[in-house]
Amino acid sequence: MKIAKSVEHPNYIQVFATFAKNSLIRNMMFRTNFVLESISSASWALMNVGFYLIVFEHTNSIGRDTGWEKYEFFVFLGTTWLINAIVQAFFMPNAEEFSELIRTGGLDFALLKPIDTQFLVSFRKVEWSSLANVLFGLVLLAYGVSHLVGRSTHPWQIEPITWLLYPVFVFCGVTILYSLMTCLAATSIWLGRNQTLYDFWFYITNFSRYPSEIYETGWGLPLWGIFTFAIPVLVVVNVPARLLAQPLTPRSPSEWALAAYTLLATVASLLASRWVFQRALRSYRSASS
Amino acid sequence: MILRIALEERLVYRGDFALGTLMRFLPIITQIFLWWAVFQSIEGRMAGYSFEDMVAYYLLSMLARAFSSMPGLASTVARQIRDGEIKKFIIQPVDLIGFMLLGRVAHKIAYYTVATVPFALVFFLCRGYFTEGWPPAIVVGAFIASLVMSFLLGYFIDLCIGLIGFWFLEVSALLFVYMLLNFFLSGHMFPLDLLEQPWRSLVDFLPLKYLAYFPAAIFLGKIPQDRLAFELAIEVAWLVAFIGLARWLYARGLRRYSGYGG
């Protein structure tokens, strides 16, 4: 008992800062590669915007009476890129590495460290080049918002509270995606190897990339239910984007209910990921050597 | 012989394969919902497409992509050039271009023997979206011809990029640009008819449209029947041009090739 108390807890923030610094150094070692990767991820983003520009040539909103017009939707798209880029920068490389650690038995070393294992394996690497897309998302956001505020017919009034809540819900979105990714990565302990991790991730998050109204029809409803309540990826982008873009004025009361639910879902999914991770660790048997 | 080896190699993991093919239709589901919402707000047609046409278009372009996409071809060729593995084609009486082509044919045949089931299933479930039913026989013929040619065109374009490896050794950046343009301009992402002028005409001049848009457009009757022969002839011309380019690159490349590695 005494020994346990005397063990000093590491300063998690400091440890994370060191991880981030090391990753930056490693990224900067291959500078051309870094630039190329930034460009390539940004060009995917640009292509995506191009697609929606074409769509909005032919229609003025996505869905009838949903209020997702061009600039509102740019805010949505900007939020999507922002959240996804944060996840890709901080968690994607770690999730991939985690599967590899399990396969090679390298996880042993992580388990021995006097630090929370989930923290260690989820924050070890930072992929700085993905932050190009964070920047891109912010530009798109600024562009959309400035149009909405500056337009002549009912310009948006953005209340100060919105600016406060938006980052909170972006953070919630990132946390939900992180939890999902941790759960997916942890399954590789049981499966030995998880090649389809990437695919599966792509297919699931694909559902989060569109306004939830598009699922409000016939057989879209079960999908809406599953991806709101069972795997809450639909609220990830929708809640913060809706908060900022305000496609509907006045806001419908259900928006606040959904926002409150998002907070709940964030906590629940974080706990779930913790539980899955620890269950998975218990069945870990070291490999090789 | 080459065909058989490749076939057997592919059929080892057929279960995984069929499932993977089905999974590939998943992103289309969200696309369909998106278009449904868009069509709700415009009430009518968009650039000549109804909602049903749009769904049918995505399914057909998916089919065309299954013919024309050559995963890993260019990077394999470039790698073989880099590690010197390509030497075996110089000393053996086997032609690289022909050998690789047969390998790909086998790959596609194997792919289809397994993938037909999920493809047929999805098309059967979505038959309601093909409002016109089967097009006339001549159109079906042109459709099949365009699919076969999209396979060949896809193969030769990819091969050319790989063969550029004789000069640059590393083609991944080039390949990425090609992939990006291909995704956007082949019609994989959206029907090319949605583009405004002058982009529409520009895309019409590029060979990329034959890889996804063209077969789907034929099937949906977007191309008038009296123009079919003409359009197909242009595709043949592109195909011949790329075959010529690949031959020329290969011949020139071999001459400056120095055979690295052991």
Side-chain angles (χ1 to χ4, degrees), chain B residues 199-230:
Chain B
W199 306 109
R200 181 76 190 84
S201 317
L202 180 75
V203 170
D204 245 352
F205 279 118
L206 294 176
L208 291 177
K209 68 166 181 175
Y210 295 108
L211 300 181
Y213 166 77
F214 188 61
I218 290 182
F219 195 88
L220 293 174
K222 297 288 168 196
I223 292 165
Q225 284 190 25
D226 48 337
R227 272 181 62 86
L228 273 180
F230 176 68

PDB file of all heavy atoms in Angstrom, chain B residues 199-230:
ATOM      1  N   TRP B 199     -15.833  23.141 -68.835  1.00  0.00           N
ATOM      2  CA  TRP B 199     -15.266  21.911 -68.269  1.00  0.00           C
ATOM      3  C   TRP B 199     -15.796  20.669 -68.956  1.00  0.00           C
ATOM      4  O   TRP B 199     -15.080  19.707 -69.178  1.00  0.00           O
ATOM      5  CB  TRP B 199     -15.580  21.834 -66.774  1.00  0.00           C
ATOM      6  CG  TRP B 199     -15.127  23.057 -66.050  1.00  0.00           C
ATOM      7  CD1 TRP B 199     -15.918  24.038 -65.520  1.00  0.00           C
ATOM      8  CD2 TRP B 199     -13.772  23.450 -65.795  1.00  0.00           C
ATOM      9  NE1 TRP B 199     -15.138  25.008 -64.954  1.00  0.00           N
ATOM     10  CE2 TRP B 199     -13.838  24.687 -65.114  1.00  0.00           C
ATOM     11  CE3 TRP B 199     -12.535  22.891 -66.092  1.00  0.00           C
ATOM     12  CZ2 TRP B 199     -12.688  25.367 -64.708  1.00  0.00           C
ATOM     13  CZ3 TRP B 199     -11.402  23.571 -65.690  1.00  0.00           C
ATOM     14  CH2 TRP B 199     -11.476  24.791 -65.011  1.00  0.00           C
ATOM     15  N   ARG B 200     -17.088  20.753 -69.305  1.00  0.00           N
ATOM     16  CA  ARG B 200     -17.723  19.607 -69.929  1.00  0.00           C
ATOM     17  C   ARG B 200     -16.984  19.197 -71.207  1.00  0.00           C
ATOM     18  O   ARG B 200     -16.684  18.040 -71.417  1.00  0.00           O
ATOM     19  CB  ARG B 200     -19.182  19.978 -70.230  1.00  0.00           C
ATOM     20  CG  ARG B 200     -20.004  18.901 -70.848  1.00  0.00           C
ATOM     21  CD  ARG B 200     -20.400  17.874 -69.814  1.00  0.00           C
ATOM     22  NE  ARG B 200     -21.006  16.712 -70.445  1.00  0.00           N
ATOM     23  CZ  ARG B 200     -20.317  15.701 -70.949  1.00  0.00           C
ATOM     24  NH1 ARG B 200     -19.009  15.737 -70.928  1.00  0.00           N
ATOM     25  NH2 ARG B 200     -20.933  14.665 -71.480  1.00  0.00           N
ATOM     26  N   SER B 201     -16.688  20.188 -72.046  1.00  0.00           N
ATOM     27  CA  SER B 201     -16.015  19.881 -73.317  1.00  0.00           C
ATOM     28  C   SER B 201     -14.601  19.398 -73.065  1.00  0.00           C
ATOM     29  O   SER B 201     -14.108  18.497 -73.732  1.00  0.00           O
ATOM     30  CB  SER B 201     -15.948  21.112 -74.214  1.00  0.00           C
ATOM     31  OG  SER B 201     -17.157  21.782 -74.180  1.00  0.00           O
ATOM     32  N   LEU B 202     -13.978  20.009 -72.065  1.00  0.00           N
ATOM     33  CA  LEU B 202     -12.605  19.620 -71.745  1.00  0.00           C
ATOM     34  C   LEU B 202     -12.553  18.147 -71.365  1.00  0.00           C
ATOM     35  O   LEU B 202     -11.734  17.377 -71.874  1.00  0.00           O
ATOM     36  CB  LEU B 202     -12.093  20.488 -70.594  1.00  0.00           C
ATOM     37  CG  LEU B 202     -10.666  20.176 -70.162  1.00  0.00           C
ATOM     38  CD1 LEU B 202      -9.685  20.718 -71.169  1.00  0.00           C
ATOM     39  CD2 LEU B 202     -10.386  20.750 -68.792  1.00  0.00           C
ATOM     40  N   VAL B 203     -13.461  17.745 -70.484  1.00  0.00           N
ATOM     41  CA  VAL B 203     -13.483  16.361 -70.026  1.00  0.00           C
ATOM     42  C   VAL B 203     -13.797  15.409 -71.179  1.00  0.00           C
ATOM     43  O   VAL B 203     -13.292  14.300 -71.240  1.00  0.00           O
ATOM     44  CB  VAL B 203     -14.505  16.211 -68.884  1.00  0.00           C
ATOM     45  CG1 VAL B 203     -14.738  14.767 -68.550  1.00  0.00           C
ATOM     46  CG2 VAL B 203     -14.015  16.946 -67.659  1.00  0.00           C
ATOM     47  N   ASP B 204     -14.608  15.914 -72.117  1.00  0.00           N
ATOM     48  CA  ASP B 204     -14.945  15.099 -73.281  1.00  0.00           C
ATOM     49  C   ASP B 204     -13.722  14.758 -74.119  1.00  0.00           C
ATOM     50  O   ASP B 204     -13.674  13.727 -74.771  1.00  0.00           O
ATOM     51  CB  ASP B 204     -15.948  15.865 -74.155  1.00  0.00           C
ATOM     52  CG  ASP B 204     -17.273  15.155 -74.190  1.00  0.00           C
ATOM     53  OD1 ASP B 204     -17.335  14.020 -73.678  1.00  0.00           O
ATOM     54  OD2 ASP B 204     -18.243  15.723 -74.722  1.00  0.00           O
ATOM     55  N   PHE B 205     -12.733  15.646 -74.065  1.00  0.00           N
ATOM     56  CA  PHE B 205     -11.532  15.411 -74.866  1.00  0.00           C
ATOM     57  C   PHE B 205     -10.552  14.462 -74.187  1.00  0.00           C
ATOM     58  O   PHE B 205      -9.645  13.969 -74.824  1.00  0.00           O
ATOM     59  CB  PHE B 205     -10.825  16.742 -75.156  1.00  0.00           C
ATOM     60  CG  PHE B 205     -11.442  17.485 -76.291  1.00  0.00           C
ATOM     61  CD1 PHE B 205     -12.012  18.728 -76.099  1.00  0.00           C
ATOM     62  CD2 PHE B 205     -11.473  16.911 -77.557  1.00  0.00           C
ATOM     63  CE1 PHE B 205     -12.598  19.404 -77.152  1.00  0.00           C
ATOM     64  CE2 PHE B 205     -12.051  17.589 -78.617  1.00  0.00           C
ATOM     65  CZ  PHE B 205     -12.617  18.837 -78.408  1.00  0.00           C
ATOM     66  N   LEU B 206     -10.732  14.263 -72.893  1.00  0.00           N
ATOM     67  CA  LEU B 206      -9.772  13.423 -72.170  1.00  0.00           C
ATOM     68  C   LEU B 206     -10.156  11.954 -72.275  1.00  0.00           C
ATOM     69  O   LEU B 206     -11.340  11.625 -72.399  1.00  0.00           O
ATOM     70  CB  LEU B 206      -9.744  13.825 -70.692  1.00  0.00           C
ATOM     71  CG  LEU B 206      -9.217  15.228 -70.393  1.00  0.00           C
ATOM     72  CD1 LEU B 206      -9.349  15.517 -68.909  1.00  0.00           C
ATOM     73  CD2 LEU B 206      -7.774  15.357 -70.834  1.00  0.00           C
ATOM     74  N   PRO B 207      -9.179  11.076 -72.199  1.00  0.00           N
ATOM     75  CA  PRO B 207      -9.507   9.649 -72.277  1.00  0.00           C
ATOM     76  C   PRO B 207     -10.092   9.097 -70.971  1.00  0.00           C
ATOM     77  O   PRO B 207     -10.615   7.995 -70.959  1.00  0.00           O
ATOM     78  CB  PRO B 207      -8.156   8.998 -72.578  1.00  0.00           C
ATOM     79  CG  PRO B 207      -7.155   9.934 -72.016  1.00  0.00           C
ATOM     80  CD  PRO B 207      -7.726  11.303 -72.155  1.00  0.00           C
ATOM     81  N   LEU B 208      -9.989   9.875 -69.897  1.00  0.00           N
ATOM     82  CA  LEU B 208     -10.399   9.328 -68.598  1.00  0.00           C
ATOM     83  C   LEU B 208     -11.877   8.979 -68.545  1.00  0.00           C
ATOM     84  O   LEU B 208     -12.281   8.089 -67.806  1.00  0.00           O
ATOM     85  CB  LEU B 208     -10.070  10.327 -67.490  1.00  0.00           C
ATOM     86  CG  LEU B 208      -8.596  10.549 -67.200  1.00  0.00           C
ATOM     87  CD1 LEU B 208      -8.428  11.615 -66.147  1.00  0.00           C
ATOM     88  CD2 LEU B 208      -7.961   9.247 -66.724  1.00  0.00           C
ATOM     89  N   LYS B 209     -12.679   9.689 -69.321  1.00  0.00           N
ATOM     90  CA  LYS B 209     -14.121   9.448 -69.220  1.00  0.00           C
ATOM     91  C   LYS B 209     -14.503   8.021 -69.643  1.00  0.00           C
ATOM     92  O   LYS B 209     -15.536   7.517 -69.243  1.00  0.00           O
ATOM     93  CB  LYS B 209     -14.897  10.456 -70.053  1.00  0.00           C
ATOM     94  CG  LYS B 209     -14.709  10.285 -71.534  1.00  0.00           C
ATOM     95  CD  LYS B 209     -15.749  11.076 -72.307  1.00  0.00           C
ATOM     96  CE  LYS B 209     -15.552  10.858 -73.786  1.00  0.00           C
ATOM     97  NZ  LYS B 209     -16.562  11.474 -74.615  1.00  0.00           N
ATOM     98  N   TYR B 210     -13.629   7.386 -70.451  1.00  0.00           N
ATOM     99  CA  TYR B 210     -13.960   6.031 -70.898  1.00  0.00           C
ATOM    100  C   TYR B 210     -13.834   5.011 -69.775  1.00  0.00           C
ATOM    101  O   TYR B 210     -14.267   3.885 -69.899  1.00  0.00           O
ATOM    102  CB  TYR B 210     -13.057   5.618 -72.061  1.00  0.00           C
ATOM    103  CG  TYR B 210     -13.299   6.463 -73.282  1.00  0.00           C
ATOM    104  CD1 TYR B 210     -12.377   7.406 -73.683  1.00  0.00           C
ATOM    105  CD2 TYR B 210     -14.484   6.324 -73.983  1.00  0.00           C
ATOM    106  CE1 TYR B 210     -12.620   8.203 -74.788  1.00  0.00           C
ATOM    107  CE2 TYR B 210     -14.741   7.117 -75.085  1.00  0.00           C
ATOM    108  CZ  TYR B 210     -13.809   8.056 -75.477  1.00  0.00           C
ATOM    109  OH  TYR B 210     -14.063   8.846 -76.563  1.00  0.00           O
ATOM    110  N   LEU B 211     -13.208   5.418 -68.674  1.00  0.00           N
ATOM    111  CA  LEU B 211     -12.962   4.455 -67.606  1.00  0.00           C
ATOM    112  C   LEU B 211     -14.168   4.246 -66.695  1.00  0.00           C
ATOM    113  O   LEU B 211     -14.265   3.229 -66.025  1.00  0.00           O
ATOM    114  CB  LEU B 211     -11.757   4.904 -66.758  1.00  0.00           C
ATOM    115  CG  LEU B 211     -10.454   5.041 -67.526  1.00  0.00           C
ATOM    116  CD1 LEU B 211      -9.338   5.461 -66.602  1.00  0.00           C
ATOM    117  CD2 LEU B 211     -10.086   3.743 -68.224  1.00  0.00           C
ATOM    118  N   ALA B 212     -15.070   5.204 -66.643  1.00  0.00           N
ATOM    119  CA  ALA B 212     -16.235   5.004 -65.783  1.00  0.00           C
ATOM    120  C   ALA B 212     -17.505   5.592 -66.372  1.00  0.00           C
ATOM    121  O   ALA B 212     -18.542   4.938 -66.439  1.00  0.00           O
ATOM    122  CB  ALA B 212     -15.992   5.603 -64.394  1.00  0.00           C
ATOM    123  N   TYR B 213     -17.409   6.830 -66.836  1.00  0.00           N
ATOM    124  CA  TYR B 213     -18.612   7.518 -67.296  1.00  0.00           C
ATOM    125  C   TYR B 213     -19.212   6.895 -68.545  1.00  0.00           C
ATOM    126  O   TYR B 213     -20.413   6.655 -68.627  1.00  0.00           O
ATOM    127  CB  TYR B 213     -18.276   8.989 -67.558  1.00  0.00           C
ATOM    128  CG  TYR B 213     -19.327   9.724 -68.351  1.00  0.00           C
ATOM    129  CD1 TYR B 213     -20.508  10.127 -67.730  1.00  0.00           C
ATOM    130  CD2 TYR B 213     -19.157   9.991 -69.701  1.00  0.00           C
ATOM    131  CE1 TYR B 213     -21.480  10.788 -68.448  1.00  0.00           C
ATOM    132  CE2 TYR B 213     -20.131  10.650 -70.424  1.00  0.00           C
ATOM    133  CZ  TYR B 213     -21.288  11.051 -69.790  1.00  0.00           C
ATOM    134  OH  TYR B 213     -22.254  11.686 -70.508  1.00  0.00           O
ATOM    135  N   PHE B 214     -18.332   6.622 -69.503  1.00  0.00           N
ATOM    136  CA  PHE B 214     -18.803   6.268 -70.842  1.00  0.00           C
ATOM    137  C   PHE B 214     -19.697   5.009 -70.877  1.00  0.00           C
ATOM    138  O   PHE B 214     -20.805   5.063 -71.408  1.00  0.00           O
ATOM    139  CB  PHE B 214     -17.590   6.150 -71.766  1.00  0.00           C
ATOM    140  CG  PHE B 214     -17.919   5.969 -73.210  1.00  0.00           C
ATOM    141  CD1 PHE B 214     -18.635   6.941 -73.892  1.00  0.00           C
ATOM    142  CD2 PHE B 214     -17.514   4.830 -73.879  1.00  0.00           C
ATOM    143  CE1 PHE B 214     -18.945   6.778 -75.223  1.00  0.00           C
ATOM    144  CE2 PHE B 214     -17.820   4.668 -75.220  1.00  0.00           C
ATOM    145  CZ  PHE B 214     -18.537   5.627 -75.888  1.00  0.00           C
ATOM    146  N   PRO B 215     -19.228   3.877 -70.288  1.00  0.00           N
ATOM    147  CA  PRO B 215     -20.096   2.698 -70.322  1.00  0.00           C
ATOM    148  C   PRO B 215     -21.448   2.951 -69.661  1.00  0.00           C
ATOM    149  O   PRO B 215     -22.493   2.557 -70.202  1.00  0.00           O
ATOM    150  CB  PRO B 215     -19.300   1.651 -69.542  1.00  0.00           C
ATOM    151  CG  PRO B 215     -17.892   2.085 -69.629  1.00  0.00           C
ATOM    152  CD  PRO B 215     -17.922   3.577 -69.667  1.00  0.00           C
ATOM    153  N   ALA B 216     -21.435   3.650 -68.526  1.00  0.00           N
ATOM    154  CA  ALA B 216     -22.693   3.922 -67.833  1.00  0.00           C
ATOM    155  C   ALA B 216     -23.593   4.797 -68.683  1.00  0.00           C
ATOM    156  O   ALA B 216     -24.803   4.568 -68.770  1.00  0.00           O
ATOM    157  CB  ALA B 216     -22.414   4.594 -66.492  1.00  0.00           C
ATOM    158  N   ALA B 217     -22.997   5.796 -69.334  1.00  0.00           N
ATOM    159  CA  ALA B 217     -23.788   6.698 -70.169  1.00  0.00           C
ATOM    160  C   ALA B 217     -24.399   5.953 -71.351  1.00  0.00           C
ATOM    161  O   ALA B 217     -25.541   6.209 -71.727  1.00  0.00           O
ATOM    162  CB  ALA B 217     -22.913   7.847 -70.665  1.00  0.00           C
ATOM    163  N   ILE B 218     -23.641   5.008 -71.909  1.00  0.00           N
ATOM    164  CA  ILE B 218     -24.201   4.221 -73.016  1.00  0.00           C
ATOM    165  C   ILE B 218     -25.421   3.452 -72.538  1.00  0.00           C
ATOM    166  O   ILE B 218     -26.488   3.495 -73.141  1.00  0.00           O
ATOM    167  CB  ILE B 218     -23.157   3.210 -73.557  1.00  0.00           C
ATOM    168  CG1 ILE B 218     -22.044   3.945 -74.281  1.00  0.00           C
ATOM    169  CG2 ILE B 218     -23.822   2.222 -74.511  1.00  0.00           C
ATOM    170  CD1 ILE B 218     -21.021   3.016 -74.882  1.00  0.00           C
ATOM    171  N   PHE B 219     -25.274   2.779 -71.411  1.00  0.00           N
ATOM    172  CA  PHE B 219     -26.362   1.923 -70.930  1.00  0.00           C
ATOM    173  C   PHE B 219     -27.612   2.747 -70.642  1.00  0.00           C
ATOM    174  O   PHE B 219     -28.727   2.304 -70.897  1.00  0.00           O
ATOM    175  CB  PHE B 219     -25.918   1.186 -69.655  1.00  0.00           C
ATOM    176  CG  PHE B 219     -26.805   0.043 -69.298  1.00  0.00           C
ATOM    177  CD1 PHE B 219     -26.570  -1.219 -69.814  1.00  0.00           C
ATOM    178  CD2 PHE B 219     -27.889   0.222 -68.454  1.00  0.00           C
ATOM    179  CE1 PHE B 219     -27.384  -2.290 -69.494  1.00  0.00           C
ATOM    180  CE2 PHE B 219     -28.711  -0.846 -68.123  1.00  0.00           C
ATOM    181  CZ  PHE B 219     -28.460  -2.098 -68.652  1.00  0.00           C
ATOM    182  N   LEU B 220     -27.427   3.934 -70.113  1.00  0.00           N
ATOM    183  CA  LEU B 220     -28.573   4.757 -69.749  1.00  0.00           C
ATOM    184  C   LEU B 220     -29.119   5.555 -70.931  1.00  0.00           C
ATOM    185  O   LEU B 220     -30.016   6.371 -70.765  1.00  0.00           O
ATOM    186  CB  LEU B 220     -28.195   5.713 -68.621  1.00  0.00           C
ATOM    187  CG  LEU B 220     -27.885   5.037 -67.284  1.00  0.00           C
ATOM    188  CD1 LEU B 220     -27.387   6.058 -66.281  1.00  0.00           C
ATOM    189  CD2 LEU B 220     -29.116   4.334 -66.743  1.00  0.00           C
ATOM    190  N   GLY B 221     -28.547   5.301 -72.113  1.00  0.00           N
ATOM    191  CA  GLY B 221     -29.052   5.980 -73.303  1.00  0.00           C
ATOM    192  C   GLY B 221     -28.719   7.456 -73.351  1.00  0.00           C
ATOM    193  O   GLY B 221     -29.415   8.239 -73.980  1.00  0.00           O
ATOM    194  N   LYS B 222     -27.644   7.866 -72.653  1.00  0.00           N
ATOM    195  CA  LYS B 222     -27.262   9.282 -72.678  1.00  0.00           C
ATOM    196  C   LYS B 222     -26.558   9.640 -73.977  1.00  0.00           C
ATOM    197  O   LYS B 222     -26.373  10.801 -74.286  1.00  0.00           O
ATOM    198  CB  LYS B 222     -26.333   9.600 -71.502  1.00  0.00           C
ATOM    199  CG  LYS B 222     -26.969   9.398 -70.157  1.00  0.00           C
ATOM    200  CD  LYS B 222     -27.992  10.475 -69.881  1.00  0.00           C
ATOM    201  CE  LYS B 222     -28.816  10.096 -68.668  1.00  0.00           C
ATOM    202  NZ  LYS B 222     -30.035  10.883 -68.564  1.00  0.00           N
ATOM    203  N   ILE B 223     -26.087   8.596 -74.676  1.00  0.00           N
ATOM    204  CA  ILE B 223     -25.400   8.854 -75.932  1.00  0.00           C
ATOM    205  C   ILE B 223     -26.314   8.384 -77.059  1.00  0.00           C
ATOM    206  O   ILE B 223     -26.703   7.217 -77.098  1.00  0.00           O
ATOM    207  CB  ILE B 223     -24.050   8.120 -75.960  1.00  0.00           C
ATOM    208  CG1 ILE B 223     -23.145   8.771 -74.912  1.00  0.00           C
ATOM    209  CG2 ILE B 223     -23.414   8.177 -77.337  1.00  0.00           C
ATOM    210  CD1 ILE B 223     -21.954   7.980 -74.553  1.00  0.00           C
ATOM    211  N   PRO B 224     -26.702   9.299 -77.955  1.00  0.00           N
ATOM    212  CA  PRO B 224     -27.622   8.937 -79.035  1.00  0.00           C
ATOM    213  C   PRO B 224     -27.066   7.776 -79.863  1.00  0.00           C
ATOM    214  O   PRO B 224     -25.849   7.683 -80.065  1.00  0.00           O
ATOM    215  CB  PRO B 224     -27.707  10.212 -79.880  1.00  0.00           C
ATOM    216  CG  PRO B 224     -27.134  11.295 -79.042  1.00  0.00           C
ATOM    217  CD  PRO B 224     -26.258  10.683 -78.011  1.00  0.00           C
ATOM    218  N   GLN B 225     -27.970   6.908 -80.305  1.00  0.00           N
ATOM    219  CA  GLN B 225     -27.516   5.687 -80.975  1.00  0.00           C
ATOM    220  C   GLN B 225     -26.697   5.950 -82.229  1.00  0.00           C
ATOM    221  O   GLN B 225     -25.784   5.202 -82.549  1.00  0.00           O
ATOM    222  CB  GLN B 225     -28.710   4.810 -81.319  1.00  0.00           C
ATOM    223  CG  GLN B 225     -29.235   4.098 -80.094  1.00  0.00           C
ATOM    224  CD  GLN B 225     -30.263   3.049 -80.452  1.00  0.00           C
ATOM    225  OE1 GLN B 225     -30.273   2.520 -81.550  1.00  0.00           O
ATOM    226  NE2 GLN B 225     -31.137   2.767 -79.509  1.00  0.00           N
ATOM    227  N   ASP B 226     -27.011   7.051 -82.935  1.00  0.00           N
ATOM    228  CA  ASP B 226     -26.260   7.286 -84.171  1.00  0.00           C
ATOM    229  C   ASP B 226     -24.855   7.807 -83.888  1.00  0.00           C
ATOM    230  O   ASP B 226     -24.027   7.874 -84.783  1.00  0.00           O
ATOM    231  CB  ASP B 226     -27.033   8.252 -85.097  1.00  0.00           C
ATOM    232  CG  ASP B 226     -27.521   9.480 -84.344  1.00  0.00           C
ATOM    233  OD1 ASP B 226     -27.655   9.392 -83.105  1.00  0.00           O
ATOM    234  OD2 ASP B 226     -27.771  10.519 -84.971  1.00  0.00           O
ATOM    235  N   ARG B 227     -24.602   8.175 -82.633  1.00  0.00           N
ATOM    236  CA  ARG B 227     -23.247   8.625 -82.311  1.00  0.00           C
ATOM    237  C   ARG B 227     -22.401   7.519 -81.671  1.00  0.00           C
ATOM    238  O   ARG B 227     -21.208   7.692 -81.457  1.00  0.00           O
ATOM    239  CB  ARG B 227     -23.313   9.814 -81.356  1.00  0.00           C
ATOM    240  CG  ARG B 227     -23.428  11.148 -82.081  1.00  0.00           C
ATOM    241  CD  ARG B 227     -23.472  12.290 -81.094  1.00  0.00           C
ATOM    242  NE  ARG B 227     -22.237  12.379 -80.296  1.00  0.00           N
ATOM    243  CZ  ARG B 227     -21.145  13.028 -80.681  1.00  0.00           C
ATOM    244  NH1 ARG B 227     -21.111  13.615 -81.859  1.00  0.00           N
ATOM    245  NH2 ARG B 227     -20.081  13.086 -79.905  1.00  0.00           N
ATOM    246  N   LEU B 228     -23.057   6.415 -81.353  1.00  0.00           N
ATOM    247  CA  LEU B 228     -22.356   5.341 -80.646  1.00  0.00           C
ATOM    248  C   LEU B 228     -21.095   4.895 -81.367  1.00  0.00           C
ATOM    249  O   LEU B 228     -20.018   4.818 -80.775  1.00  0.00           O
ATOM    250  CB  LEU B 228     -23.282   4.135 -80.484  1.00  0.00           C
ATOM    251  CG  LEU B 228     -24.190   4.143 -79.257  1.00  0.00           C
ATOM    252  CD1 LEU B 228     -25.027   2.885 -79.243  1.00  0.00           C
ATOM    253  CD2 LEU B 228     -23.384   4.273 -77.991  1.00  0.00           C
ATOM    254  N   ALA B 229     -21.256   4.624 -82.678  1.00  0.00           N
ATOM    255  CA  ALA B 229     -20.125   4.097 -83.451  1.00  0.00           C
ATOM    256  C   ALA B 229     -18.976   5.092 -83.442  1.00  0.00           C
ATOM    257  O   ALA B 229     -17.811   4.730 -83.232  1.00  0.00           O
ATOM    258  CB  ALA B 229     -20.564   3.816 -84.884  1.00  0.00           C
ATOM    259  N   PHE B 230     -19.327   6.365 -83.600  1.00  0.00           N
ATOM    260  CA  PHE B 230     -18.324   7.424 -83.630  1.00  0.00           C
ATOM    261  C   PHE B 230     -17.568   7.494 -82.293  1.00  0.00           C
ATOM    262  O   PHE B 230     -16.332   7.509 -82.256  1.00  0.00           O
ATOM    263  CB  PHE B 230     -19.040   8.746 -83.924  1.00  0.00           C
ATOM    264  CG  PHE B 230     -18.145   9.937 -83.881  1.00  0.00           C
ATOM    265  CD1 PHE B 230     -17.150  10.108 -84.838  1.00  0.00           C
ATOM    266  CD2 PHE B 230     -18.291  10.888 -82.871  1.00  0.00           C
ATOM    267  CE1 PHE B 230     -16.321  11.219 -84.793  1.00  0.00           C
ATOM    268  CE2 PHE B 230     -17.460  11.990 -82.817  1.00  0.00           C
ATOM    269  CZ  PHE B 230     -16.482  12.163 -83.777  1.00  0.00           C
TER     270      PHE B 230
END
